[in-house]
């Protein structure tokens, strides 16, 4: 870090992590530093190799927060928004007694990635989110929540006005690049909505409807979306018409069957892991002591609530 050459630390740190880990499920104190090196060096692939491991064993909560936050940023850099959303979600919903800066910054990026990947954002928290996060996070993220509301309205002009109003804040948070991706994604979402209504549409009509500057710009957006598999369509260059198609995937190819089987195997593994963790928790002395105290308190309350006449001899 002092030499301003973080690339030198990537390979040794990865080797150290593998030597320190008790298993691939173990999060060491070196994980966050390694991911930070990958971020600063813009060397994302080694970071992704670490993020592929399912983590169940955590020594220090701070390591977990930083691991998920840096990991989310690496996935954003690689356009792996689904995994980024999962990691940032883990930061926001993790147990905590006090709010920390890592969670606040993760929540801001969580809002932006949700808009990019899902096309919407819900301000309500899952039930398992800590009360501290539910009470305070929104107070530190008002510009981002306003951006989400503008995005939900579906009007690009309102969204751009919101970006201009909070441009300095987004730039200060180093999230302006993500915000610009949110604006770009609104064009895509509006084009996707057209596929649900029309079978054919001219490029000029698409440009007018989604508020693009020209038919040529609309064509570039449609071509990119076709290439990325976000819509299924063909463009007739002669008359400038776009024909929207159904999803050609029949879900019966060998590749698709392998993907489905892999997902089923992963779910079964997670189910077994959850069962094992539940059994370990049920035998934990601290848990049993606390559960015993709670049970005694409730038993005592129930005893007091019974009328004394029930015990008359």
């Amino acid at each position: 870090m002092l030499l301003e050459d973080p690339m030198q630390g990537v390979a040794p740190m990865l080797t150290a992590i593998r030597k320190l880990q008790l298993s691939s499920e173990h999060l060491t104190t070196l994980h966050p530093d390694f991911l930070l090196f990958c971020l600063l060096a813009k060397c994302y692939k080694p970071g992704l190799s670490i993020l592929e491991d399912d983590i169940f064993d955590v020594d220090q909560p701070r390591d977990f927060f930083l691991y998920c936050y840096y990991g989310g940023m690496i996935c954003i850099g690689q356009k792996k928004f689904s995994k980024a959303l999962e990691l940032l979600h883990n930061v926001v919903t993790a147990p905590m007694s006090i709010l920390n800066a890592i969670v606040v910054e993760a929540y801001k990026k969580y809002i932006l990635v949700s808009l990019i990947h899902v096309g919407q954002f819900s301000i309500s928290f899952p039930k398992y989110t800590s009360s501290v996060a539910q009470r305070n996070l929104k107070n530190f993220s008002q510009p981002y929540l306003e951006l989400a509301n503008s995005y939900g309205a579906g009007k690009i002009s309102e969204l751009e006005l919101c970006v201009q109003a909070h441009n300095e804040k987004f730039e200060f948070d180093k999230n302006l690049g993500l915000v610009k991706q949110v604006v770009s994604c609104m064009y895509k979402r509006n084009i996707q909505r057209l596929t649900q209504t029309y079978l054919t549409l001219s490029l000029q009509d698409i440009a007018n409807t989604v508020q693009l500057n020209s038919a040529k710009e609309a064509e570039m957006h449609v071509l990119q979306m076709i290439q990325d598999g976000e819509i299924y369509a063909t463009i007739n260059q002669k008359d400038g018409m776009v024909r929207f198609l159904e999803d050609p995937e029949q879900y019966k190819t060998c590749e698709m069957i392998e993907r489905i089987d892999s997902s089923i195997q992963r779910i079964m593994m997670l189910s077994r892991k959850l069962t094992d963790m539940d059994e370990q928790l049920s035998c934990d002395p601290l848990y049993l002591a606390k559960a015993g105290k709670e049970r005694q308190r409730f038993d005592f309350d129930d005893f007091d609530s019974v009328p004394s006449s029930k015990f008359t001899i």
Side-chain angles (χ1 to χ4, degrees), residues 44-63:
Y44 299 138
K45 287 188 177 180
L48 289 174
S49 68
I50 285 287
L51 295 171
E52 289 175 356
D53 298 332
D54 290 316
I55 297 296
F56 298 102
D57 184 11
V58 180
D59 293 333
Q60 298 294 331
R62 183 176 180 274
D63 295 335

Side-chain angles (χ1 to χ4, degrees), residues 192-239:
Q192 285 177 328
R193 291 190 185 100
L194 295 177
T195 67
Q196 300 170 7
T197 307
Y198 301 95
L199 292 175
T200 59
L201 204 61
S202 70
L203 288 168
Q204 187 59 55
D205 287 338
I206 292 175
N208 294 337
T209 304
V210 303
Q211 301 178 30
L212 289 166
N213 295 324
S214 65
K216 187 65 177 177
E217 194 173 343
E219 182 180 6
M220 295 305 296
H221 273 83
V222 171
L223 284 172
Q224 187 63 52
M225 292 176 72
I226 293 172
Q227 183 178 341
D228 295 340
E230 295 172 330
I231 61 170
Y232 305 97
T234 58
I235 300 176
N236 189 324
Q237 297 283 354
K238 185 177 180 180
D239 55 14

Side-chain angles (χ1 to χ4, degrees), residues 7 24 36 63 110 126 161 193 199 232 239-240 252 294 307:
M7 180 65 78
S24 61
L36 179 59
D63 295 335
Y110 180 64
L161 285 173
R193 291 190 185 100
L199 292 175
Y232 305 97
D239 55 14
K252 58 183 180 182
E294 290 291 322

Side-chain angles (χ1 to χ4, degrees), residues 27-284:
L27 182 70
T28 71
T29 56
L30 297 184
H31 273 79
D33 291 331
F34 168 71
L35 294 179
L36 179 59
F37 281 156
C38 292
L39 277 171
L40 295 175
K42 296 183 179 179
C43 181
Y44 299 138
K45 287 188 177 180
L48 289 174
S49 68
I50 285 287
L51 295 171
E52 289 175 356
D53 298 332
D54 290 316
I55 297 296
F56 298 102
D57 184 11
V58 180
D59 293 333
Q60 298 294 331
R62 183 176 180 274
D63 295 335
F64 177 76
F65 283 116
L66 286 174
Y67 166 80
C68 290
Y69 179 63
Y70 291 149
M73 292 176 69
I74 285 176
C75 291
I76 289 170
Q78 289 293 92
K79 303 291 185 182
K80 296 183 178 295
F81 293 117
S82 178
K83 182 65 175 179
L85 202 61
E86 175 190 334
L87 290 166
L88 294 172
H89 175 88
N90 289 342
V91 181
V92 173
T93 59
M96 65 189 81
S97 55
I98 57 173
L99 197 65
N100 60 67
I102 306 169
V103 180
V104 172
E105 295 307 311
Y107 186 61
K108 294 173 182 177
K109 287 181 170 59
Y110 180 64
I111 295 172
L112 298 176
V113 175
S114 295
L115 295 176
I116 293 170
H117 183 65
V118 185
Q120 61 184 7
F121 177 75
S122 174
I123 61 172
S124 60
F125 292 91
K127 291 182 179 179
Y128 47 83
T129 309
S130 69
S131 58
V132 174
Q134 294 191 46
R135 286 196 308 266
N136 299 299
L137 272 179
K138 294 176 184 177
N139 298 331
F140 292 94
S141 314
Q142 283 303 316
Y144 296 85
L145 294 174
E146 288 180 22
L147 186 77
N149 289 333
S150 300
Y151 189 100
K155 296 181 179 180
I156 193 69
S157 57
E158 290 186 14
L159 185 64
E160 289 178 338
L161 285 173
C162 182
V163 173
Q164 291 175 9
H166 301 292
N167 188 78
E168 290 185 7
K169 175 61 177 174
F170 296 143
E171 192 168 8
F172 178 79
D173 292 340
K174 297 182 180 180
N175 287 328
L176 190 57
L178 269 180
V179 170
K180 290 179 178 178
Q181 290 186 59
V182 170
V183 176
S184 178
C185 280
M186 173 167 272
Y187 290 114
K188 294 182 179 181
R189 296 296 172 187
N190 288 340
I191 292 173
Q192 285 177 328
R193 291 190 185 100
L194 295 177
T195 67
Q196 300 170 7
T197 307
Y198 301 95
L199 292 175
T200 59
L201 204 61
S202 70
L203 288 168
Q204 187 59 55
D205 287 338
I206 292 175
N208 294 337
T209 304
V210 303
Q211 301 178 30
L212 289 166
N213 295 324
S214 65
K216 187 65 177 177
E217 194 173 343
E219 182 180 6
M220 295 305 296
H221 273 83
V222 171
L223 284 172
Q224 187 63 52
M225 292 176 72
I226 293 172
Q227 183 178 341
D228 295 340
E230 295 172 330
I231 61 170
Y232 305 97
T234 58
I235 300 176
N236 189 324
Q237 297 283 354
K238 185 177 180 180
D239 55 14
M241 296 296 293
V242 179
R243 182 186 176 196
F244 299 116
L245 308 172
E246 296 291 334
D247 183 355
E249 178 60 64
Q250 298 297 313
Y251 298 97
K252 58 183 180 182
T253 62
C254 292
E255 182 183 357
M256 183 56 66
I257 291 172
E258 288 177 1
R259 287 176 59 186
I260 294 172
D261 182 65
S262 176
S263 297
I264 292 172
Q265 294 298 326
R266 175 172 165 76
I267 291 170
M268 291 172 64
M269 182 275 291
L270 290 173
S271 177
R272 289 193 295 269
K273 189 69 180 179
L274 187 61
T275 302
D276 292 342
M277 293 174 71
D278 183 61
E279 290 177 354
Q280 291 175 16
L281 181 63
S282 64
C283 299
D284 184 84

